[in-house]
Amino acid sequence: AKLWEIPEDAVTWEGGEIRPAGDNAGKFKPMTLADVAKVAGKTGGSIVGVGTGSTANFFIDALGAMRDRIAGAVASSEASAARLCALGIPLLDLNDVTDMPVYVDGADEVTSQLAMIKGGGGALTREKIVGAVARTFVCIADGSKLVATLGRFPLPVEVIPMARAHVARALEALGGRPVLRAGFKTDNGNVILDVHGLSITDPVALETHIDGITGVVTVGLFARRPADILLLGGPDGVAEHRRPGAGLP
């Protein structure tokens, strides 16, 4: 199967690996923690930006094995900060950082142009901020996350609570079906609307438009600043995709 034809439930994290699940067993190779650690190995001596979620957690674990060889880390969420601290990795405030060579995170969906939907874990605003500071954005994902068109995964939008209804109406006008993420508050104290039913053919334009709606903090489209490097687990192991000119320090 082509990577973007692999269903979402085809892959699962098990014992430090991205493994084929169910009937997909044996159809493609797992991505191991060692593959993730290769990225960590290239960050020696520098400050590292760290994302949020299951993929980022595996990267944090890999950093833990080399914590004495990095200057420190900047976390994109309270959850990632707690995991970094538990492993003894020095935690830095982004306001005190003037240079960050690399930011590493996962994605809920990613295209071949390296535009992404992120925010399934609710940390989209801080992820976008840390990613903006980094010189290189590395996305680590399994093959099920690669899509031809973004939008099958509901698009997260972080919203100031008092603007929830206003923003929902504006998103409905775009053809989406916004659903409040029940019982969830972001680390910034805001709510998230997950927008279903979109087919995002121009992610840069949609990101710009939604970010301009009054009351929106940010949208989980990472297209104006996409990933520079995508490490994608698939049938032949881990494939590396780069935007022109992108490279780890």
Side-chain angles (χ1 to χ4, degrees):
K2 295 179 181 178
L3 295 182
W4 55 85
E5 293 174 343
I6 298 173
E8 292 181 357
D9 60 355
V11 185
T12 184
W13 284 100
E14 293 180 4
E17 294 185 340
I18 300 178
R19 288 187 173 277
D23 294 339
N24 295 284
K27 291 184 179 178
F28 50 97
K29 297 178 182 179
M31 180 190 293
T32 67
L33 184 57
D35 295 313
V36 180
K38 289 178 184 178
V39 180
K42 295 179 182 179
T43 63
S46 63
I47 295 171
V48 184
V50 178
T52 298
S54 58
T55 301
N57 285 343
F58 276 87
F59 180 68
I60 293 171
D61 292 344
L63 282 179
M66 53 171 291
R67 58 182 175 273
D68 296 331
R69 303 201 303 276
I70 61 173
V74 176
S76 63
S77 68
E78 298 299 328
S80 290
R83 195 178 187 96
L84 287 162
C85 288
L87 291 171
I89 298 170
L91 191 63
L92 303 176
D93 187 312
L94 185 61
N95 290 309
D96 298 326
V97 174
T98 57
D99 181 60
M100 185 164 57
V102 64
Y103 174 67
V104 180
D105 204 353
D108 299 303
E109 285 186 343
V110 61
T111 69
S112 58
Q113 290 76 41
L114 307 194
M116 298 167 287
I117 284 181
K118 294 176 48 58
L124 57 160
T125 297
R126 297 190 186 191
E127 289 172 342
K128 192 169 281 192
I129 292 169
V130 180
V133 174
R135 284 189 267 129
T136 301
F137 189 140
V138 178
C139 176
I140 301 174
D142 65 73
S144 67
K145 304 297 177 65
L146 184 65
V147 298
T149 304
L150 297 172
R152 182 175 65 176
F153 188 92
L155 177 64
V157 182
E158 184 168 347
V159 179
I160 301 293
M162 70 173 294
R164 173 179 55 82
H166 162 68
V167 172
R169 289 190 292 269
L171 294 171
E172 288 172 349
L174 294 174
R177 181 172 61 85
V179 176
L180 177 66
R181 192 176 295 186
F184 184 85
K185 285 287 182 70
T186 70
D187 287 342
N188 309 310
N190 300 313
V191 299
I192 288 183
L193 294 173
D194 292 305
V195 188
H196 299 249
L198 295 175
S199 180
I200 305 170
T201 56
D202 189 342
V204 172
L206 187 62
E207 180 179 2
T208 301
H209 183 89
I210 294 178
D211 274 346
I213 298 171
T214 302
V216 168
V217 179
T218 199
V219 59
L221 277 170
F222 287 61
R224 290 183 296 189
R225 199 281 185 250
D228 297 299
I229 299 171
L230 170 62
L231 299 179
L232 193 71
D236 300 316
V238 180
E240 183 175 305
H241 305 264
R242 291 176 178 251
R243 288 200 303 127
L248 284 166

